[in-house]
Amino acid sequence: MNTDPVKLDTVLVLGTGLVGTSIGLALRQRGVTVLLADRDLGAVRLAREMGAGQEWRLGDPVDLAVVAVPPDHVASELRGLQQLGAARFYTDVASVKARPIAAAAALGCDLSTYVASHPMAGREKAGPGAARGDLFLGRPWALCPTDEASAEAREAVLRLIELCGGNAVEVAAEDHDRAVAVVSHAPHVAASAVAARLADASDVALGLAGQGVRDVTRIAGGDPGLWLGILSGNAAPVAEVLEAVSRDLSEAATALRALAQGDASAGPEVTQLLKRGVAGHGRIPGKHGGPAAAYAVVQVVIGDRPGQLARLFQICDEVGVNVEDVRLEHAPGLPLGLAELSVQPDAVAVLNQALRDRGWQLP
C-alpha cells in the first residue's frame, strides 16, 4: 500500500448515483482503481458496465472513501465505513455540509480522517445512467475541513478534486450552506414554483412556450424525493432566501395591479426589480470562473439532421473563431432550429461571412 497521503491509487465510491458514478468515471480516466458500493445492486451493476469501477469487496483499506449518499445518510454511512476500516481517509459529496458534519461528530466518527466536500455540478437527470466523466471539469468543488481534520486528509480530498478536474474552494460548512441556498437550493424551489403554473396551463399557453420558459424551469425536472432531502438539510438558509424572493414578488404583484388600474406611478418599482435582476445576473462568474464577459451572438438556422452541429463547429475551426458557448432553440413542428453561438465581438463579421459563403441561412 502506498504510504504517500496525497497519492490516490485506490478509491471507494459508496453510492452509485449521478455524482458517485461520475466520480468513478473521472477517476478511471486518470488510471485510479475505483471500487463501487450501493444498497441498490442494480445501480452498482450499471455503473460497473459504464466503466466507473468494480464492485467493492472488503479487504485492504483503500486510500480514500467517497460517501455519495443523500445528506441525512452521510453520518451513518461514514460511521459504518470507519468501523470497517475501509479507507485511510474519507469525504462526502452531499450538497449540505453543516448538519452531516454535526451528525458525524455526534455518532463518534473520526473527524481527523474526514473532510466534507461538495462538487457544484449536476444534471436534471438522476442515476448512474446520466453520469459523465467530465461532469466536474472546471466546476467549483467546496472543501469544508473541520478543526479536527488532519493535513493529510485535506490533501487527499484536494487530490480527488484535482483528479476529477474540479476547482477546490475551501469554505466553512455554515458559509457553504448559506451560499448554496442562494445559488442552488432556493433557485430550484423558485423554478419549481414557476413550472408548477404550467401543470394546469392551457394547451394554447403550452403551444406558445419558448426558450425563455424552458430556461427558467429547466432545473425543476429534478427528483422530488432527492430534493426534499437536500432542502430539509438546509431548510433555514433556503427559507430566508425564499422569503426575500417572496417579498420582491409580492411587491411586484402589487405594483402590477396598480398599473393595471391605470396608476403609472407604480412602473418604477417594477423597473427597479428588473434592474436589480440585471445587476445580479451580471455578477454570475463567466467562463473559467472569471468576470462575466460580453460575448456577441451569431444566430444560424440549423437542420435537425445528424452531423449539422459538427459541420457548424468545423467552419468555426476553419476560420479560427472560438465558440465560447452554444445554445439550441428548436422550432415547434418543424425539422429545424436556431443555433446561437456566443463568440468574441470582433469575430462576428468573419463568422457571418464564412457561414454565408458555405450556404448557411442566417436570420
Side-chain angles (χ1 to χ4, degrees), residues 107-328:
L107 285 179
C109 294
D110 178 6
L111 299 186
S112 70
T113 62
Y114 166 59
V115 175
S117 73
H118 174 213
M120 296 298 295
R123 303 183 66 190
E124 299 79 55
K125 300 176 182 178
R132 290 171 25 188
D134 63 352
L135 186 66
F136 313 105
L137 287 179
R139 303 302 300 272
W141 191 316
L143 186 76
C144 305
T146 62
D147 292 340
E148 297 87 348
S150 69
E152 292 81 4
R154 179 180 173 278
E155 289 301 315
V157 180
L158 282 171
R159 179 59 177 156
L160 168 72
I161 297 171
E162 178 187 358
L163 288 170
C164 290
N167 293 326
V169 180
E170 188 162 327
V171 60
E174 293 78 9
D175 292 339
H176 165 276
D177 290 354
R178 286 191 291 269
V180 295
V182 174
V183 302
S184 177
H185 299 168
H188 189 96
V189 179
S192 296
V194 174
R197 303 304 86 182
L198 303 178
D200 299 319
S202 68
D203 291 341
V204 172
L206 295 175
L208 294 173
Q211 193 61 39
V213 73
R214 291 185 176 91
D215 288 344
V216 171
T217 61
R218 178 182 59 81
I219 58 175
D223 178 11
L226 173 64
W227 270 96
L228 176 60
I230 292 171
L231 295 170
S232 298
N234 203 26
V238 174
E240 291 178 8
V241 177
L242 291 178
E243 286 162 355
V245 172
S246 179
R247 287 193 295 271
D248 282 340
L249 293 177
S250 179
E251 291 169 1
T254 299
L256 290 170
R257 288 290 184 193
L259 285 174
Q261 295 168 5
D263 182 4
S265 66
E269 188 169 345
V270 178
T271 301
Q272 184 60 28
L273 176 60
L274 297 176
K275 288 182 176 179
R276 285 167 53 208
V278 171
H281 181 268
R283 293 195 65 203
I284 298 173
K287 189 175 180 182
H288 308 308
Y295 297 123
V297 175
V298 172
Q299 296 181 322
V300 56
V301 177
I302 184 170
D304 188 11
R305 299 187 303 276
Q308 291 294 288
L309 272 177
R311 288 182 54 211
L312 194 57
F313 289 135
Q314 179 63 36
I315 294 171
C316 295
D317 181 58
E318 290 172 0
V319 296
V321 172
N322 186 53
V323 178
E324 308 290 346
D325 199 1
V326 61
R327 172 173 161 178
L328 297 177

Side-chain angles (χ1 to χ4, degrees), residues 12-177:
L12 165 63
V13 177
L14 176 64
T16 50
L18 166 65
V19 173
T21 303
S22 295
I23 289 173
L25 291 171
L27 293 176
R28 289 295 302 124
Q29 291 171 1
R30 300 297 299 272
V32 177
T33 298
V34 179
L35 304 175
L36 307 169
D38 197 302
R39 296 180 188 277
D40 183 348
L41 297 182
V44 173
R45 186 181 311 112
L46 179 54
R48 188 181 69 237
E49 291 173 352
M50 292 179 64
Q54 296 299 315
E55 189 169 352
W56 178 51
R57 295 285 187 268
L58 182 61
D60 291 336
V62 299
D63 294 318
L64 177 71
V66 180
V67 180
V69 301
D72 286 347
H73 300 285
V74 167
S76 60
E77 296 292 356
L78 173 64
R79 178 60 175 160
L81 289 175
Q82 289 187 336
Q83 288 177 328
L84 291 172
R88 300 166 60 209
F89 305 110
Y90 302 83
T91 188
D92 78 278
V93 289
S95 63
V96 179
K97 298 278 69 117
R99 283 183 59 176
I101 291 173
L107 285 179
C109 294
D110 178 6
L111 299 186
S112 70
T113 62
Y114 166 59
V115 175
S117 73
H118 174 213
M120 296 298 295
R123 303 183 66 190
E124 299 79 55
K125 300 176 182 178
R132 290 171 25 188
D134 63 352
L135 186 66
F136 313 105
L137 287 179
R139 303 302 300 272
W141 191 316
L143 186 76
C144 305
T146 62
D147 292 340
E148 297 87 348
S150 69
E152 292 81 4
R154 179 180 173 278
E155 289 301 315
V157 180
L158 282 171
R159 179 59 177 156
L160 168 72
I161 297 171
E162 178 187 358
L163 288 170
C164 290
N167 293 326
V169 180
E170 188 162 327
V171 60
E174 293 78 9
D175 292 339
H176 165 276
D177 290 354

Side-chain angles (χ1 to χ4, degrees), residues 2-8 88-89 152-153 155-156 159:
N2 187 354
T3 59
D4 181 357
V6 175
K7 187 173 178 60
L8 299 185
R88 300 166 60 209
F89 305 110
E152 292 81 4
E155 289 301 315
R159 179 59 177 156

